[in-house]
Amino acid sequence: MSSGTYTGSVALGSGGRNFTPIEVNTDADPSGYLYGRVVVFTGTLMSMTRDVARQECARVGATPEQNTTKRTHVLVVGDINPGVLRPGSNVTGKARKAFDLQDGGQPIEVMTEDDFARCIQGKPITDFANVTDLFPVPGPGTGTPPKRDRLRSVPLAERPTPTPPKPPKPPKPLRREPISTDQVCSINTCTNGAAFKTYKNPTYCYAHIDVILARGGLEPLESFTHPKDWLLTRCRRCGNVAHYRFVYVQDNNAANVETCRACFWRGWGAEQRAAIGPYGDNEPVTYERAEATAEKYGHIYLGPLTNPSMAYDPHRVECSRCGRISAERLGDISFGCSCQPRL
Ligand SMILES: [Zn+2]
Ligand SMILES: [Zn+2]
Ligand SMILES: [Zn+2]
């Protein structure tokens, strides 16, 4: 991960699908070149995965974002696969947008991966590589290359003053205080007061909420607050303890699907193995590997939900940010928890 050390290999990684939670380092060195900047990547990075690049941004106090916008300060251009370009263009949509924003007066800097690597190592700006190599003069009919002076066009003195990165916002709590209501349970014969207020949908008393949860195969382990809050439950079949939203149980009930994800994915994994047979991935997943995956994607690992634990089997994890407990396959854990901000 140092500058000037490219070899021909492309960092394959796991693609853009997986998501590692990012917390921008508020204690980074304010004199760092990327400190307080919003950084966007386009093209394939050769020396590191996109995910590592995003983490490196955060480490030096920069915020990585997906798309070029009015907030963008720096566009890092990796190797551009000509197959992804629009016909007649020699730059990606993100680079095109950056040039349009430059035309509108926004001081966006375009830099090479090599420049970026120097920046995250704290090297001085005078060492920057020649960015025009990124946009070779195209053949006839393939569009006009961007002018040299448009690329790294922001003199040091004219760079906007960086905004120090803000400390991360706390996650939304899993449950709120219940809101009292004088509505009555929507079950015909029931005269109990409702547990939650709603104008569009039926509402229920606590006893009927328990009946609906039981139909979904769940026993509540805490008091009900709101249909969209996360409720800690125990599966009546397998005993797994996890959070679910009441509205999710209702949807599953309507579709005749069991809510417990431990039961669901155990069944699914077994079906996959039966269908694939001896040619599938028949190596058990080690505890260490599952734990490392969970931790990488912002979870506390609570253990496998099968024994042995095979490729498609579920695991029990707790989000280290919001505390939500769920039963998920390793592949799903790598999407991160829904509470995590997507940078
Ligand atoms: Zn009722
Ligand atoms: Zn279960
Ligand atoms: Zn979470």
Side-chain angles (χ1 to χ4, degrees):
M1 214 169 54
S2 57
S3 61
T5 56
Y6 302 162
T7 57
S9 67
V10 175
L12 285 172
S14 35
R17 171 179 166 273
N18 291 353
F19 168 82
T20 322
I22 279 196
E23 279 187 20
V24 179
N25 176 12
T26 49
D27 292 327
D29 175 8
S31 68
Y33 194 78
L34 293 174
Y35 177 83
R37 311 290 166 180
V38 172
V39 179
V40 173
F41 297 90
T42 188
T44 306
L45 301 178
M46 310 300 274
S47 61
M48 64 189 97
T49 62
R50 188 74 70 92
D51 195 47
V52 167
R54 292 164 68 251
Q55 296 290 350
E56 282 297 295
C57 279
R59 182 179 64 77
V60 299
T63 304
E65 287 193 357
Q66 292 289 349
N67 296 303
T68 316
T69 67
K70 288 196 169 129
R71 285 191 301 275
T72 308
H73 298 114
V74 175
L75 177 71
V76 179
V77 183
D79 191 48
I80 309 285
N81 168 7
V84 304
L85 298 179
R86 271 211 321 244
S89 175
N90 68 333
V91 296
T92 61
K94 288 185 197 181
R96 173 63 52 211
K97 183 85 191 294
F99 297 139
D100 288 348
L101 290 166
Q102 282 181 341
D103 286 343
Q106 184 174 330
I108 295 190
E109 301 174 57
V110 180
M111 63 167 69
T112 62
E113 176 176 358
D114 201 57
D115 293 341
F116 175 72
R118 286 159 198 258
C119 283
I120 58 180
Q121 290 167 58
K123 295 237 177 95
I125 182 174
T126 48
D127 282 353
F128 279 162
N130 188 347
V131 81
T132 51
D133 293 347
L134 291 170
F135 304 106
V137 178
T142 52
T144 320
K147 277 198 250 108
R148 188 188 189 91
D149 60 353
R150 304 181 59 180
L151 297 171
R152 192 173 313 98
S153 60
V154 187
L156 265 186
E158 287 167 32
R159 299 187 91 213
T161 315
T163 321
K166 289 187 205 78
K169 273 198 210 124
K172 206 174 139 196
L174 294 179
R175 17 192 296 123
R176 296 158 280 183
E177 285 297 313
I179 302 160
S180 65
T181 174
D182 47 20
Q183 287 180 293
V184 174
C185 179
S186 300
I187 300 287
N188 261 338
T189 52
C190 183
T191 54
N192 292 339
F196 60 95
K197 192 192 259 180
T198 173
Y199 297 107
K200 283 185 290 188
N201 300 314
T203 181
Y204 303 101
C205 67
Y206 289 106
H208 277 114
I209 284 170
D210 285 356
V211 170
I212 290 164
L213 290 170
R215 224 202 111 203
L218 301 175
E219 169 197 352
L221 296 180
E222 57 189 3
S223 65
F224 181 89
T225 52
H226 187 276
K228 287 186 177 166
D229 282 356
W230 294 97
L231 182 71
L232 194 65
T233 65
R234 179 184 292 122
C235 172
R236 290 169 175 269
R237 180 140 74 110
C238 77
N240 189 54
V241 170
H243 287 103
Y244 297 102
R245 288 185 157 122
F246 181 68
V247 287
Y248 178 72
V249 181
Q250 286 181 294
D251 287 351
N252 283 336
N253 286 356
N256 260 320
V257 176
E258 61 198 329
T259 286
C260 173
R261 293 293 94 183
C263 283
F264 181 85
W265 291 123
R266 262 193 293 260
W268 190 85
E271 271 173 38
Q272 292 299 305
R273 281 191 292 279
I276 299 168
Y279 306 107
D281 183 355
N282 289 316
E283 272 297 298
V285 175
T286 64
Y287 189 97
E288 288 69 27
R289 198 188 127 214
E291 184 177 47
T293 304
E295 287 176 0
K296 181 174 178 200
Y297 296 103
H299 292 90
I300 299 161
Y301 188 56
L302 302 177
L305 288 166
T306 53
N307 183 17
S309 177
M310 305 302 285
Y312 296 114
D313 283 340
H315 302 259
R316 196 160 162 263
V317 290
E318 176 181 335
C319 171
S320 46
R321 198 163 174 269
C322 72
R324 180 160 72 86
I325 296 170
S326 56
E328 299 180 52
R329 295 170 299 173
L330 278 188
D332 297 329
I333 290 169
S334 66
F335 281 109
C337 177
S338 56
C339 80
Q340 289 158 345
R342 315 258 140 178
L343 288 178

